[in-house]
Every structure is written in C-alpha cells, then in structure tokens.
Amino acid sequence: MDPAIVKSARACLALLLVAAWPSSLAREAAAAASESSVSEQARLFLRFQLSNAGTAPQLEIEGRSFRGSPDLSCFYDHRGFAPAWIEDSTLSPEVEELLRALAAAENDGLRPSDYHVEALERRVAAVRSLPRMVDLAYLDLLLSDAFLTFAAHLRNGKVNPEVIYHDCAVSRLPGDLAAALEEAVTETGVRAAFAGLAPPQKGYEILRRALDRYRRIAIGDAPGRVSPGPGLRLGDRGERVACLRAHLRVTATADAAEALPSSENEDLFDASLEDAARSFQRRHGLSPDGVAGTATLAEVNREPESAIRRIEINLERWRWLPRDLGRRFVLVNIAAFRLAALENDQTKLDMRIVVGKPFTRTPMFSSRIEAVVLNPSWYVPESIATQEILPKASHDPGFLSRGGYEVTGSRIRQKPGPQNALGQIKFVFPSPFGVYLHDTPARTLFGQTVRSFSHGCIRLEKPFELAVWVLQDDPRWPPAAIRAGIDAGNERKLVLRESIPVHVAYWTTWVDDAGTLEFGRDVYDRDAQLSHLLRGD
C-alpha cells in the first residue's frame, strides 16, 4: 500500500479516537499520528469536527458549552479545512492581535467575556507551553469562532432589534464574515478587518471616545454627590454650590462641552456657573433655566456608570443602521425629538419634531422618500376612526362636517384644508407601519420639551423648508413654485426624480454637530431591556 495513504489513514484513525476518547487516550492517539505534519493532522481534525456539525457547531471551553458561529463551517470548508491560526506547528503572530482586539471589545460597548477572551488567553498559554496537535487544532476552531462572533456583533449588533421590538424594521446588513476572516488571516490582519465592520459614521466614533472618558471618571476621583437640599440658583453660596461646580466641570469635559472656567469663589453660584448649568440642562434633556432644581440635581448626581450604560446602549443602536446612510439623507432621532437633513455628512436643516405617544410609538426603520404631497388628504386609520372619530361623531352630529371629514365607502377621509391633521405637506415613503413625515396644525406642541403626542407619525416643525431641501435638485419646483402649489389648495403629488434615504432611529445618547455629547429621555422605556441583553446581567 502507498505509504502516504497509510500515514493519512493512521492520522484519520487517531483523530476519530481524539473525538471520542477521554483526553488522556486522545493525546496518545494524536501522538500515534505524528508521522503526518501538524497542519495536515489539524486539517483532518477540523474536517471531522465540522463535517457533521451543521451550521452552528457546539463548542466547549473550560467546561462551558456554547453554540459556535453559523459562519464557522463555511469558513473552514472554503479553505479545505486548513487551520487559520497555525504556522509551522505553532500559533501565528495574528493570535496575539486577535486577543488584543477581543479584549478591547469594551471600547465598542461590547463584553470581552462574550468572546471567551480570558479562557482563550489561558488556552493559548497552555498550547505554547506544550503544543499538541489536538490542542492546537481545537484552539484554531475557538479562535476563528471568537473572530466571527465579534465580527457579527460589530456588523449588525449583538441584539437583533426585530426580535425585541414589534415596531422595528431593520434590514440585517449583508456581508460574508467568513470571507472577512479569510482576508484577516491571509492579507489585511485582524485589526483592519474589524475596523472595516464597525459603523464608519463620526457619531459612532465620537460616542466611543465619550465612553472612554466616562470610564476614566468611573475609575478616578469623581466628585461626591450634591447633598440633599433646596434648589441652587444665581447668588447662592456654600458647600453644595462648590460640589455642583465640581460636577459640572467634570461632565463638561466628559461631554466634550465648553469648559467651566475656574473661579476665585468656587462656592458662589455666579453667572459662569449659571451658564454651565444651562449647558448641562440642554445636554441632558432638561429645561435650560439655569437653576439646579430637583430634576437637574438628580441628573448631576447620577453615577458615571449610568452614562457608561447609556453610551453602550446607543453604540449598539448605531450598529443596527446601514453603513451607507446616503449622500443626502434625512435622519430622525425619536428620543431627541429632532430631525436633521444632511448632505455629505453636513447638517443642512435641523428641526424639532413631535413623535408617537408611548402607547402609539413611532417605529424604527429605514426607507426612501419618494414623493412630497401638497395639501394632502388624510385617510383616517381604522384604529383612530373606531376609537376616536366615530365615538365623537355619535355624540355630535356636526363633528364630521366641521372637521372636514367625509365618509368614502368604508373609510373616513379628511379633506385638505387648515384643519387637516397632516397640515399642508406630507412626505411619502414605503414602510410596513403606515407612518409619514408631515406638517401639523398643532404648532404649539413644538414648544414642549418632551414632544410625544402623535399616533406614530412624525410631525415637522419646518415642513416647507424640508420640502424645499428635498426638491432642491428639481428645477420644476423652486421654493416659489412649492409655495404657489400650497396656496392653490389642491392636493398634488410631487414625485422625486431621485428618492432620498430616511432613517428613523432611537438614540437616548448622541452627539451634536460640534461633537458634544447629549443625553435624552428614554421616552419609550427601552434602555433597561437593551442594557440587560447587552451585558447579560
């Protein structure tokens, strides 16, 4: 018989025994296969381990069993089951780079323990001390799984939002993670591969830096709590004022806001401290009156760990978005009650919005604006008709006519006009939720700090300005023509020559155009659940 065939058969037999025998006998079987190269033995081991493992093999490390990455089998199959992290019977230099990258997962708000970093470090040390083929091959499998799992979390997030929210339509980003791992171990290296998977937007990167700053505060000497007592305001003096000043100075640095200047009288609530209080209130979603009242002091006294959790949560929400938001796009932040129109990553238009109530929430999704409707009709959704419109009409026979409503078949339509719930302009885009961006006759609501009053649609403070921006490349619709169309009073649909992406997100922590960190209200009570799923606590 051909000696090469004998060697291969001997190696295969030993590897089968490795999978089934106790560890001591498995090592003896592996030793019996020593006539084959370590790489060839590892290849046979990996083939045997993965051939019948399905799409997500069951793995084990330090007595803990877990389901491996669904991309693992595909990765090894495409490379003929050749090991990825073994060179010349030992581990490649990229192993250390991988371990460093996984240990730094917390910089992205993720948990290194999800990738078994400490256990892998111990296993790497043991294999280097006594490099047995079986241990090398199985470690190769574990290292690849850790890479693929972290890559998947960077690419699409650890948590699938569509699983926990019924009002969310986020497309999971396509991408061949097995190919990314192949490129990492053969060409670019681990660091470059991971850098190409995380969101590229500056909002994500600035949040990462803010996370680092707040972690430094948490492990350093953070100011003590402002003791209980009455609100603090201009002219007040005392130890509580000095403590407040210390807090506002630290948080200004952490939030990358304007620094609070030093004062000869640190215990005096002077004009500079009042300005700093207003800045803090604006950044933290409070009414900026410059008075450190109950709500402001409660926010000041939050532990740094609270900010750390909020930043981690919102880094995850960034990972749910498309990597390419578009050259020109509309970005809605539900929790901030703001909309921005951006071009080449520069904000061209910013406005306040009204979003859905906590029980009629504005959904999260991405779509493309296809048309602008001037003087739109409103076809009342069935739920609103049965729960609100029809009960009012049953008690008031003139309600429908006064409000401009008419019954058309089985539906209720509100005709264009000053009372129309959609105002004078509506922006149309496909979505599974039947929501729009639109004008509103209820203008006073934009003066509120918390603006969650709608049935789910997004009401705009500046609908005309947004229409002008959306249609700016269409010579048929300069601002004067849009205004004339509105004044005509007839319903008219203006189809865009090129649709514009719109992304509706929910960030309770974000950065403004100047790179300053801002904290909003968790108006839909989503942060705690997501933090739990991210941290596993």
Side-chain angles (χ1 to χ4, degrees), residues 203-218:
Y204 183 83
E205 178 56 33
I206 295 173
L207 273 185
R208 290 178 80 249
R209 294 179 209 159
L211 180 61
D212 178 67
R213 291 194 297 271
Y214 268 101
R215 285 198 172 126
R216 291 177 186 274
I217 292 172

Side-chain angles (χ1 to χ4, degrees), residues 496-509:
L496 273 62
R497 290 183 167 181
E498 182 179 352
S499 62
I500 296 176
V502 56
H503 308 287
V504 183
Y506 184 89
W507 286 301
T508 53
T509 303

Side-chain angles (χ1 to χ4, degrees), residues 446-469:
F446 294 112
Q448 301 291 320
T449 300
V450 177
R451 297 185 291 275
S452 52
F453 302 108
S454 82
H455 290 90
C457 282
I458 300 160
R459 305 177 191 173
L460 306 174
E461 178 190 22
K462 303 174 184 176
F464 180 79
E465 290 85 345
L466 182 60
V468 169
W469 182 82

